[in-house]
Each structure stands twice: as structure tokens, then as C-alpha cells.
Amino acid sequence: MSNGNSSAKDRPSVGRILQQARIDAKLTVDEVSSSTRVRIPIVHAIEQDDFSRCGGDVYARGHIRTLARAVGADPAELMELYNGQQHPEPQPLSSGPLFEAERIRPEPRRPNWTAAMVAAIVVVVAFVGFTFFTGSEENEDPGTVAEGSRTDTPDPRETGAPEATEEAPEPDAPAPSESAVAAVPPDKVTVRATAEGGSSWVSAKDSNGRLLFEGVIEEGDSQTFKDDEQIDLVLGNAGVVQLHVNGREIDDDFERGQVERLTYTPGDPSEG
């Protein structure tokens, strides 16, 4: 029995590996927090395998990858361990099924909403059918039909051709929308960060130091930040982030796992 308990304690975990890697790299928690922009209490919690302070599973995964790169650990190995740690935990909890049962109870109300929708559609169809039949009875008058046919034929000859020529230029409308995509206010700074080839932890603040965004941008996703004077960025995995500043793509040579601190103003990019 004692051997089983000791083997469970010695089993590697995400927190233990990150902590040992940090110690091997001769880094303090403060230094890791400063380089990754992950707050000190969260670093301590993750090293104790407590991911409740991360703000959710997506943020926990992003923090683990960021910390792994900072201390020289393998992010892929840690994510595999994290998945293994998280799956067994919900099984013994009895509160989970109770909460799910409570959520399932209101669901039978949905058919009532569907029934109401069907009833509304039936009323509309009945109304349309009624107006259709009453309208057809009125048109049964031969005089009315004759007058309608006589007045319909001259109208296209007199007014149809001019109207067609006036509506012809409308297909040119999409052209302004293409230029509007790249258009940005000249008196503001606009920064768009897109993750390409991986995910990255990103922090963005405005000129007053107010936090606009802090979290993980997954591969293929993007975030846009705007301010009148200045945008301050911290990129946790700069090599996978493509930046567009004031409508222009920024060419950079950042490497994967590299932490970058950048500042942009309305006049940028001035030097690329």
C-alpha cells in the first residue's frame, strides 16, 4: 500500500516538471513572471498543479505553453500530461451529474416554443391564402382583367428602358468595400494580431495603461486593438504572430518562443 502511494507522488505532473525546469534554468518565479507576463500567483498555482486561477481551460493551456518555453521545457509533452491530469478528475465528482440534471430539466420547454412558431406560421399561411383567394375573386371581373392587361403593356415601353439603364451602375458598389477593409483612421493607431502556425499569449494596453486584451490567441484567430495615441504589446510566442499596424503588414524576424515587447503609434510603421 505504501509503495502505491509513493509511486503516485513521484509520478510526473505539469506543475512538477515546470517547477523543476525553472530551478534547473536558475530562474525565480519573479523572473519567469516578468518574461512571460503571467502573474506571480498564477505561476505559483500552476507549479502546484492548480489550474483554477487560470480563468478557464483555454487560458490554462496558453499559460502552460508560455511557461514551458520560458523555462526550456517541452510544450507538447506538458500538454499531453495536462490532458491526462484533467480527464480523470471529473469522474468521481458527484456534483457534476447533479448540475447536468438540473440543466436538463428546463429543456422540455423548447417544444412549446416550437409549437408557438408552428402556430404563428399557420396563421400567416391562412392569412396569405385568404388574401390570395379574395384577390383572385376580384380579378374575375373581365373588365378589370382587360384594363390591367392594357395598362401593363405600355408601361415597360415608356418607363422600363430608362429604369434599366439607371440601375446598371449598381454592380460597381463592391469596389469601396475592398478599400474599406484596409482603411484605418489616420489620427488613431490600429493594431491587428493574427496567430499563424501556432498559438501565442498576447497582452495589449492603451496609452493610459488600461488593459485591452490579455490571453491566448489560437492559430487562425486574430484580435484588433485601437487607441488615439499608443498601443503597447507583449507577444509571448512572437514567431507565430503576424502584425498589421495602421493597415500595413509588419515584416519581422521573430522566432518561435521569443517574447517581444512592442509599441505602436498613429504614425507607424515608420521604420518597418
Side-chain angles (χ1 to χ4, degrees):
M1 298 295 291
S2 59
N3 292 335
N5 293 334
S6 61
S7 62
K9 293 181 180 178
D10 295 337
R11 187 178 306 165
S13 67
V14 173
R16 293 192 187 95
I17 292 177
L18 285 175
Q19 185 180 50
Q20 188 60 48
R22 176 179 59 78
I23 295 173
D24 293 342
K26 298 181 180 179
L27 296 173
T28 65
V29 172
D30 291 347
E31 291 171 338
V32 172
S33 174
S34 177
S35 65
T36 61
R37 305 293 293 180
V38 179
R39 290 182 296 168
I40 292 176
I42 296 179
V43 176
H44 279 300
I46 291 176
E47 288 189 354
Q48 297 300 319
D49 293 306
D50 177 10
F51 307 104
S52 61
R53 304 192 63 173
C54 296
D57 183 69
V58 173
Y59 293 106
R61 293 174 181 271
H63 290 332
I64 290 171
R65 292 191 187 99
T66 301
L67 294 176
R69 297 187 186 100
V71 300
D74 184 2
E77 177 185 354
L78 289 176
M79 292 314 304
E80 184 176 353
L81 283 175
Y82 174 77
N83 292 334
Q85 287 180 226
Q86 295 302 102
H87 287 306
E89 292 181 359
Q91 294 178 357
L93 295 178
S94 59
S95 58
L98 293 178
F99 289 136
E100 291 178 3
E102 292 177 359
R103 293 173 183 170
I104 293 173
R105 291 174 185 172
E107 291 183 358
R109 297 178 182 175
R110 294 180 180 175
N112 294 335
W113 172 254
T114 304
M117 291 287 292
V118 172
I121 293 173
V122 170
V123 173
V124 172
V125 171
F127 176 75
V128 172
F130 174 77
T131 55
F132 174 79
F133 285 115
T134 54
S136 61
E137 291 176 359
E138 294 176 357
N139 291 333
E140 288 178 357
D141 185 3
T144 306
V145 175
E147 291 177 0
S149 60
R150 291 173 186 173
T151 56
D152 288 344
T153 49
D155 288 343
R157 297 175 184 177
E158 297 177 1
T159 61
E163 290 179 359
T165 55
E166 291 176 359
E167 295 176 358
E170 291 183 359
D172 296 334
S177 63
E178 295 179 0
S179 60
V181 173
V184 294
D187 57 341
K188 298 179 181 294
V189 55
T190 302
V191 178
R192 186 181 68 192
T194 304
E196 299 178 354
S199 59
S200 176
W201 182 90
V202 175
S203 172
K205 295 182 179 180
D206 61 14
S207 56
N208 295 322
R210 183 172 61 92
L211 188 65
L212 301 176
F213 175 83
E214 183 179 78
V216 177
I217 300 180
E218 297 292 344
E219 180 178 0
D221 294 339
S222 63
Q223 291 286 340
T224 301
F225 318 110
K226 296 181 180 181
D227 189 62
D228 293 338
E229 301 177 4
Q230 179 175 304
I231 295 292
D232 294 322
L233 290 179
V234 179
L235 309 180
N237 185 15
V240 303
V241 179
Q242 178 60 60
L243 296 176
H244 287 77
V245 178
N246 298 324
R248 296 183 180 180
E249 182 176 348
I250 301 298
D251 294 328
D252 56 61
D253 55 354
F254 300 148
E255 298 180 357
R256 288 176 175 269
Q258 183 177 354
V259 178
E260 285 292 333
R261 291 174 173 81
L262 307 168
T263 298
Y264 294 105
T265 59
D268 291 328
S270 57
E271 299 179 358

